[in-house]
Amino acid sequence: MKGWHFAAAGPNGEPVLRDGSPARAGTVEVSGPLKLCVRGLHASACVIDALYYAPGPWLSRVELRGTVVMGDDKACATERVARGYVDVTNVLREFAVRCAVRALEREQDAGREPNTRSWAACDLALGGFAGVVDAEMLREAYNAAYAATEDADDVAANAAAYAAASAAYAAANDADRDAAFAANRAACAAYAANGAAYAAEERGAQNDELEEMLLQFFEDEEAI
């Protein structure tokens, strides 16, 4: 099974697995018995699912081999072959903004104009990527967008505002863990903002968009 696997950042910023060992290209093996979340080498077929479990911003395109146990949104195996790990922090930050904007636009489509603080948070987050907005402004944008969640008058509006706050949070924080955490928060909030009728559509759109943004780092699929 081909899939995606995130790794954390170690003490010096290098990619490490959950047990603290280096995350490198190549093959890692474990013995059975396998159990999801307990024992085995994990990965997700969809990158949006892998993001949910991400301990940090280092990502690899992988293949699970040997004995494989399948779950709903991840799998574990006795063998995992990794292409090598890439720091995708900036991609995750941009993805967080895209999710937030889509949630805000869904609000507009429903005839509800989102709070101006939510739009401002997204704009400032993009400015942070371009280097024209400093960290203090981004923190203020996060606080304002988060406050907008308290003013939201329904679940969808609250989720959209929360997505915008998460986007600003992703741009404002330098901690390696935060980019993956905030991107997942924005994605989940955008998912919730779409409501039941469009939830599956949003989830699929998120996965397709994020994979397109990331495959540039893993163009040679035959390398696995």
Side-chain angles (χ1 to χ4, degrees):
M1 183 198 94
K2 289 187 178 180
W4 302 89
H5 180 255
F6 279 94
N12 298 315
E14 75 283 6
V16 295
L17 301 177
R18 290 183 185 274
D19 64 1
S21 61
R24 302 190 180 111
T27 302
V28 182
E29 297 180 81
V30 298
S31 59
L34 301 177
K35 185 176 181 181
L36 286 167
C37 301
V38 177
R39 182 168 182 79
L41 299 164
H42 290 72
S44 294
C46 295
V47 71
I48 196 67
D49 292 330
L51 180 62
Y52 177 80
Y53 296 102
W58 289 89
L59 177 68
S60 182
R61 190 77 167 124
V62 302
E63 184 172 356
L64 298 185
R65 298 176 179 173
T67 303
V68 180
V69 175
M70 301 296 297
D72 291 335
D73 59 359
K74 63 181 174 181
C76 67
T78 53
E79 183 178 343
R80 184 173 62 212
V81 184
R83 286 279 307 278
Y85 287 80
V86 177
D87 184 351
V88 295
T89 296
N90 288 335
V91 172
L92 295 177
R93 287 172 172 164
E94 181 182 349
F95 175 67
V97 178
R98 292 189 184 189
C99 287
V101 168
R102 194 156 53 239
L104 296 175
E105 290 175 344
R106 181 72 75 181
E107 278 294 280
Q108 286 185 321
D109 292 343
R112 299 183 294 268
E113 183 57 39
N115 193 294
T116 57
R117 289 170 289 182
S118 297
W119 288 115
C122 293
D123 290 340
L124 286 171
L126 291 173
F129 305 148
V132 297
V133 176
D134 62 26
E136 182 58 33
M137 291 178 67
L138 286 166
R139 281 190 287 271
E140 291 176 1
Y142 164 72
N143 289 332
Y146 191 80
T149 66
E150 300 177 355
D151 298 334
D153 55 8
D154 63 25
V155 173
N158 178 278
Y162 192 75
S166 297
Y169 183 89
N173 289 271
D174 293 329
D176 293 304
R177 173 71 178 89
D178 286 340
F181 175 67
N184 180 62
R185 287 203 314 182
C188 290
Y191 179 82
N194 278 266
Y198 297 99
E201 176 185 321
E202 170 64 16
R203 192 70 168 170
Q206 288 178 2
N207 186 72
D208 292 347
E209 183 170 29
L210 185 54
E211 284 199 357
E212 183 178 353
M213 296 170 74
L214 292 168
L215 280 172
Q216 61 180 308
F217 302 111
F218 306 98
E219 292 179 347
D220 184 9
E221 284 288 305
E222 296 304 317
I224 297 182

